[in-house]
Each structure stands twice: as structure tokens, then as C-alpha cells.
Amino acid sequence: MKKVAVIMGSDSDWSVVKGACAQLEALDIPFEAHILSAHRTPAAAAEFARGARANGFGVIICAAGMAAHLAGAFAANTTLPVIGIPMKGGAMDGLDALLATIQMPSGIPVATVALNGAKNAAILAAQILAVEDAALAARLDGERTVMAEQIAEKEAKLQAELGR
């Protein structure tokens, strides 16, 4: 199975990003997590992105706030799918990061999840990898079944509370 690279622009992103790592672990997807900055370590970030395919990665997740250039910088240096997690915080509470992450030039796409959407980034990475991995697709189906069962239990509890 291909690995997922989970890249943070700063260690301050870890409190959110670890949710993506936990989801990848729950789905038995190998991953590596690294701190690389598009602005402070641009050469190292570009080198990682350029070598990602040869190093066994299938998807790259990038989390960054404020200018949030990280996902775009990675996408510019690889043809692997890149998923951006815009991080909340800063003067605009994440709106700047969201806009920076979704506004990629034509030909250099970045899939973008919600602000601090680490779990969805991991699930999207899993769905991309599952195109070629039936066992992973089955694990994802199992996750959805569990979610549906949880909602059914909550609905039953609500109806019981309402006396219906």
C-alpha cells in the first residue's frame, strides 16, 4: 500500500493534524508526518514533494494557516494528489488560509477540506488510495456502516425521549 505524507507548516498545527494521523492509523494506512515550511524551508519542502512518489507515497496532506502556501508549493512539485487542510487562527481566523488553499492556478489543483478538517483529509486520502485497494475500500465501507448505526441509535434515543 502507498503511504500518506502528512505535512505541517508548523508544530502549532499538530494539535489538529494528529487527528488525520489517528484516522490513518484506524484505517491501517501507513503514513509519515513532517514539519516543512513553504516559506522557511522551501528547498526541503520542494525536495520532499519531488521525491514523494519514488519514496512510496500515494497522497500528500498539507496543513497550514495564514498564507497557507504549503499545499500549493507541494502541488507545484509533484503530480501526486495533494489535500490541503486550512488551519484556523491568525487575524482572519482561518479565512485567509481557506482562500489561499483553494485558489490554485489552473493545472496545479489542491483538494481542500474544511478549516481544521484533518479527519476528512485522512478519509479523502484513504478514498484516493482505495481506488486501487479493495481491502481499504471495504474498511471505508465499514466506517460508513458504523456511522450509520450511530445515527440510528441517536435517532432511536431522540424518539424515545419524545415518547414516540
Side-chain angles (χ1 to χ4, degrees), residues 46-111:
E47 181 181 345
F48 187 98
R50 286 185 197 119
R53 185 182 303 275
N55 289 320
F57 293 98
V59 180
I60 300 171
I61 296 172
C62 293
M66 297 172 20
H69 184 59
L70 190 63
F74 267 75
N77 285 290
T78 186
T79 56
L80 290 175
V82 175
I83 302 167
I85 305 171
M87 301 297 292
K88 288 188 82 164
M92 299 180 76
D93 200 30
L95 180 59
D96 48 353
L98 175 64
L99 294 174
T101 305
I102 63 173
Q103 293 296 342
M104 293 296 107
S106 181
I108 310 294
V110 170

Side-chain angles (χ1 to χ4, degrees), residues 74-149:
F74 267 75
N77 285 290
T78 186
T79 56
L80 290 175
V82 175
I83 302 167
I85 305 171
M87 301 297 292
K88 288 188 82 164
M92 299 180 76
D93 200 30
L95 180 59
D96 48 353
L98 175 64
L99 294 174
T101 305
I102 63 173
Q103 293 296 342
M104 293 296 107
S106 181
I108 310 294
V110 170
T112 308
V113 295
L115 290 169
N116 289 1
K119 182 176 179 180
N120 269 357
I123 292 170
L124 181 54
Q127 290 174 325
I128 292 167
L129 294 175
V131 168
E132 297 286 329
D133 187 329
L136 178 55
R139 291 195 298 276
L140 286 165
D141 286 339
E143 291 257 329
R144 289 199 175 186
T145 298
V146 169
M147 285 190 291
E149 290 168 353

